Amino acid sequence: MKHKAKLVYIHSDSPNNVRVSKCLQVFEKLFEEVHYIGCVRTGTWNEKDAIDGVHYHIDNRKARRGIRGLITSLRFTAYVKNQLRAISPDIVIATNEDYVLPFSVGYFKRPPVLVCDLIDSLAIRTVDALRYLNPLWSMLSRWSLGSIDGLVEVTDERLARHKKVPKHHVVIFNSPPAVPLQARPDLPDKFIYVCGSILDDISGVEALLIACERTQGASIVFAGRPIGPWMNNSFLHHPLVKNLGETTPHGSMEIAAAATAMFAHYKPFVENHIYAAPNKLFDAMMVGIPLLINSECLVSDFAKKTGFGMPTKFGSVEELQHAIEVVYAPDESLIAACHHAMVLFETQYSWQRMEERWAVFFDKLLLDCLKSG
């Protein structure tokens, strides 16, 4: 039975975001009226991708850099204010502190229930020159999160980072739905799968490529968006690399189902990478393959304890080479651990289980708010 309430979800980008789209489908099942307020920061938005039952309010201004980017952001904030006034929601879910702050300072009218879905926290995400203002971002983060009724985090490690959380809080992993998969057939018998937006000197593929060069029979399959001159001019043209270009989430999982192992390294020079919430962890669990992850990433502890994770120090060619040799000739314990990870995924970590967490979270949150209201 649906809650008789208007819910608004605010996200400063396109609703094509995989997590956002999955969440909107859940909200449409749980509430009588669901609205999405967003903009087209990157890429495009096509109405054919709309979810039935969700009302979309899209500001089509493209994001810009520098002063123009600031002006665009301010205009989007004004756009959000106007949409909220017209909708008059009962519940607002704002992604990140950026769109909780306008409620905190009174610029947006506060709804009866305010929730923050902390996909990419202001306190830890800044990596450019503005990272020197991180103490300020952290202060603003704590202040804004002190004004909400509910908090949603994406990993247990990120939730534990907060010194204080609201009574109603939940971890919603960014995991894929458990669905039947067919392994893609036109691929090497054994390969390391690298996917997503991969950046020069950030994603660790330089060390991976050297390690593969030193390991007999090793190869790499890449699907995603290469960012940087080395990725585009060297990595994609290397004889050990098969480039499949960009693909859909389901297409990526079909590649993963054929892979020997999945690669997920994040240079640990900012907190956001140390507290990384990699989709690839759950992708590897779902198809039952080992995960090559750097040990500085906190979720590597979970992967290691579960047995399917192969943590190595970021940038260490020697450790990566050893890990590749192990996954190319797995022993019985690694095979059993990967099978166990598949079972854990389906019973505890799939998106179907996250839908259940959303439902329980809202049931408790709204019951409390109705009592206090």
Side-chain angles (χ1 to χ4, degrees):
M1 185 173 177
K2 291 187 177 184
H3 295 287
K4 294 182 178 180
K6 289 183 191 177
L7 180 143
V8 166
Y9 191 82
I10 304 171
H11 179 61
S12 60
D13 208 337
S14 162
N16 284 331
N17 178 284
V18 175
R19 179 186 172 91
V20 169
S21 179
K22 289 187 297 187
C23 288
L24 289 173
Q25 292 176 57
V26 175
F27 303 153
E28 195 281 326
K29 296 175 187 176
L30 296 177
F31 292 92
E32 283 194 342
E33 189 172 326
V34 176
H35 295 258
Y36 175 86
I37 303 176
C39 61
V40 185
R41 184 174 298 276
T42 55
T44 57
W45 160 242
N46 194 318
E47 289 187 3
K48 69 178 179 61
D49 297 323
I51 297 164
D52 289 342
V54 176
H55 306 275
Y56 291 86
H57 312 269
I58 309 294
D59 182 1
N60 287 313
R61 295 185 185 92
K62 290 280 188 179
R64 300 289 186 269
R65 293 184 178 275
I67 296 298
R68 293 177 69 190
L70 176 61
I71 293 171
T72 301
S73 295
L74 291 174
R75 286 177 174 171
F76 175 63
T77 302
Y79 175 84
V80 173
K81 182 180 182 180
N82 290 333
Q83 297 303 316
L84 288 171
R85 185 187 295 122
I87 298 166
S88 189
D90 305 297
I91 305 158
V92 170
I93 304 178
T95 57
N96 307 324
E97 306 92 333
D98 312 47
Y99 291 95
V100 173
L101 282 168
F103 291 104
S104 304
V105 299
Y107 182 69
F108 294 165
K109 181 183 176 183
R110 197 192 192 286
V113 180
L114 179 60
V115 175
C116 181
D117 186 10
L118 210 52
I119 296 174
D120 197 11
S121 175
L122 173 68
I124 62 174
R125 74 171 181 249
T126 308
V127 299
D128 56 20
L130 292 178
R131 70 181 180 274
Y132 298 109
L133 294 176
N134 275 347
L136 172 62
W137 308 143
S138 295
M139 182 193 71
L140 290 173
S141 173
R142 288 192 301 271
W143 181 49
S144 65
L145 297 182
S147 67
I148 60 177
D149 302 300
L151 174 67
V152 181
E153 265 288 11
V154 292
T155 69
D156 293 306
E157 292 80 10
R158 288 197 179 200
L159 181 64
R161 182 180 62 83
H162 302 288
K163 294 180 180 177
K164 185 178 180 182
V165 295
K167 173 184 174 183
H168 296 284
H169 56 268
V170 66
V171 172
I172 304 290
F173 297 112
N174 197 20
S175 52
V179 295
L181 286 170
Q182 294 253 342
R184 182 164 165 168
D186 58 334
L187 299 172
D189 290 337
K190 291 187 175 183
F191 64 90
I192 308 300
Y193 185 32
V194 177
C195 60
S197 296
I198 305 298
L199 294 78
D200 287 3
D201 193 39
I202 298 293
S203 304
V205 286
E206 295 89 348
L208 175 67
L209 186 56
I210 297 171
C212 285
E213 288 174 334
R214 296 180 181 179
T215 307
Q216 186 172 359
S219 65
I220 297 169
V221 169
F222 173 70
R225 187 161 64 102
I227 303 174
W230 183 83
M231 279 296 301
N232 283 283
N233 300 327
S234 298
F235 179 78
L236 295 186
H237 302 287
H238 195 282
L240 292 184
V241 177
K242 182 178 179 68
N243 177 28
L244 301 178
E246 295 192 49
T247 186
T248 64
H250 187 78
S252 181
M253 290 306 304
E254 290 181 328
I255 299 167
T260 306
M262 181 165 282
F263 183 75
H265 274 223
Y266 307 87
K267 188 175 183 177
F269 73 113
V270 289
E271 280 189 291
N272 209 17
H273 291 180
I274 295 168
Y275 285 95
N279 305 352
K280 298 164 193 174
L281 180 141
F282 297 108
D283 293 348
M285 289 182 75
M286 181 175 173
V287 298
I289 59 174
L291 179 72
L292 304 179
I293 186 168
N294 60 299
S295 54
E296 298 91 346
C297 184
L298 295 180
V299 296
S300 67
D301 288 343
F302 168 77
K304 184 178 180 180
K305 288 175 184 174
T306 309
F308 74 101
M310 303 290 292
T312 59
K313 186 178 179 181
F314 184 88
S316 173
V317 173
E318 291 75 17
E319 291 184 22
L320 267 175
Q321 181 182 350
H322 175 69
I324 293 169
E325 290 169 351
V326 170
V327 301
Y328 264 53
D331 59 21
E332 290 184 3
S333 63
L334 180 57
I335 294 170
C338 288
H339 177 74
H340 176 61
M342 289 179 70
V343 175
L344 273 181
F345 172 80
E346 188 165 346
T347 57
Q348 298 183 33
Y349 295 102
S350 71
W351 186 251
Q352 286 89 340
R353 304 289 81 79
M354 297 305 105
E355 289 187 2
E356 294 168 2
R357 290 191 183 191
W358 269 123
V360 171
F361 171 74
F362 280 122
D363 285 344
K364 293 180 178 178
L365 174 64
L366 297 182
L367 182 62
D368 254 16
C369 290
L370 287 173
K371 282 181 179 178
S372 61

